[in-house]
Amino acid sequence: MCFADERRSNFAAPVREEAGLNKMRIREILKFSLIDYPGKISAVVFVPGCNFNCPACHAKKILDEVPLIKEEEFFKYLAGARQWVNGVVVCGGEPTFDADLVPFARRLAAAAIPVKLDTNGSAPQVLERLLDEKLIAYAALDVKGPPRLLDNITGTVPAPEAIKRSIRAIAGFPDYEYRTTAAPVLRGDGKISFLTAAELADTAAMITEITGSDDHKYFIQKFVPRKEGLLDKRLESFPQTPLPLLEEMKAEVSKYLPKCEIRA
Ligand code: SF4
């Protein structure tokens, strides 16, 4: 899920068509964004569907509810906006589960448009393919938390080996970042509490260990509450991640990833 999700009310509404007329399954387009692709003015493409069910997610449900947009409509918009749009962000949902992601990225590469991909890291084989073909300029991996909490945070049972393989793959892209949302976690005892600074430090240590390096960009993102639409309604009344907790997290994470930043 990318940051543009928080500004859904600004979404463009180009001509929509139902499934069958599309190539890449696009549910939403943000015509331009100044914050989703570092250093670029980007158009943001939202791809529906995700293998995770993160309780704090607001994007998956929304993206399942709106009609599809024709891929050609997106490229038509892009052709007319090239004087100010100089990058494309592909996010979701989870774009790596769309069979047409690679051809879509090839088409953008052929048009010399840098692409940023946001992923949850479940499909390392797709990341490796994109890497081999040099189709992605910037990759952002949501590392949800330490392995022992992945089931709780993702609402499913991810394959830890796939996530680890993706953590390795991401560091091969020309530019990349790791990031974690400091979200509330449904604990095994029925309680709900924010990820702790120690849990985030374990996440950072895992990245350092898997990549053999501490020289990575890592962003801690705050959880932003919503009145409705989260996959688990119990989190809708939860507060925003408190700033002191974010700062404590940064201090702990910096021991493993010194380039850690809070993304407000
Ligand atoms: S990975 Fe989680 S937060 Fe991201 S789209 Fe899937 S369910 Fe939502």
Side-chain angles (χ1 to χ4, degrees):
M1 151 173 77
C2 75
F3 301 107
D5 291 347
E6 296 180 2
R7 293 167 282 117
R8 186 168 182 274
S9 57
N10 293 334
F11 283 177
V15 176
R16 296 175 184 281
E17 298 288 346
E18 286 305 325
L21 297 175
N22 294 269
K23 296 177 187 169
M24 182 82 164
R25 293 175 312 133
I26 299 171
R27 288 278 197 211
E28 290 282 8
I29 295 168
L30 184 64
K31 283 188 170 176
F32 63 91
S33 165
L34 300 176
I35 62 170
D36 290 292
Y37 191 152
K40 297 205 181 295
I41 299 172
S42 61
V44 185
V45 170
F46 292 80
V47 183
C50 183
N51 58 319
F52 286 179
N53 289 304
C54 307
C57 178
H58 63 278
K60 182 172 173 172
K61 195 159 166 264
I62 290 171
L63 291 175
D64 281 345
E65 287 170 356
V66 291
L68 292 164
I69 298 168
K70 287 169 72 174
E71 184 179 305
E72 289 311 317
E73 281 299 320
F74 172 67
F75 277 97
K76 198 167 135 194
Y77 162 70
L78 207 52
R82 281 308 307 275
Q83 66 269 38
W84 64 85
V85 170
N86 57 5
V88 167
V89 177
V90 183
C91 66
E94 178 47 45
T96 58
F97 281 83
D98 191 300
D100 287 310
L101 173 63
V102 173
F104 185 71
R106 281 190 198 123
R107 193 171 174 187
L108 288 165
I113 300 173
V115 179
K116 172 175 175 272
L117 175 71
D118 292 354
T119 178
N120 67 19
S122 298
Q125 71 283 5
V126 177
L127 297 178
E128 289 160 0
R129 176 86 179 271
L130 293 164
L131 194 53
D132 284 349
E133 292 197 37
K134 300 184 170 46
L135 297 176
I136 301 294
Y138 193 119
L141 176 59
D142 280 318
V143 186
K144 298 291 181 182
R148 65 180 181 280
L149 286 176
L150 277 184
D151 297 9
N152 307 53
I153 298 170
T154 64
T156 180
V157 187
E161 286 314 312
I163 304 289
K164 287 179 185 172
R165 198 170 136 195
S166 290
I167 287 173
R168 259 190 302 274
I170 287 294
F173 285 91
D175 203 353
Y176 65 94
E177 68 180 49
Y178 301 98
R179 61 196 192 191
T180 302
T181 300
V185 180
L186 307 178
R187 308 283 175 177
D189 57 7
K191 294 190 178 140
I192 306 174
S193 60
F194 280 113
L195 271 171
T196 66
E199 287 163 351
L200 225 64
D202 288 347
T203 308
M206 173 180 69
I207 294 169
T208 303
E209 189 187 327
I210 289 170
T211 60
S213 167
D214 65 0
D215 187 22
H216 307 297
K217 284 184 281 185
Y218 180 84
F219 293 96
I220 304 169
Q221 300 175 172
K222 69 182 174 191
F223 166 78
V224 179
R226 282 159 204 279
K227 288 199 171 81
E228 57 183 26
L230 297 188
L231 289 189
D232 193 309
K233 293 207 158 297
R234 286 172 290 177
L235 301 189
E236 286 172 1
S237 56
F238 225 77
Q240 182 171 301
T241 318
L243 186 57
L245 175 58
L246 292 169
E247 286 169 346
E248 187 190 348
M249 287 173 161
K250 182 180 174 185
E252 289 303 311
V253 165
S254 295
K255 294 173 185 170
Y256 301 95
L257 293 171
K259 287 158 83 173
C260 160
E261 297 289 343
I262 296 169
R263 185 175 264 153

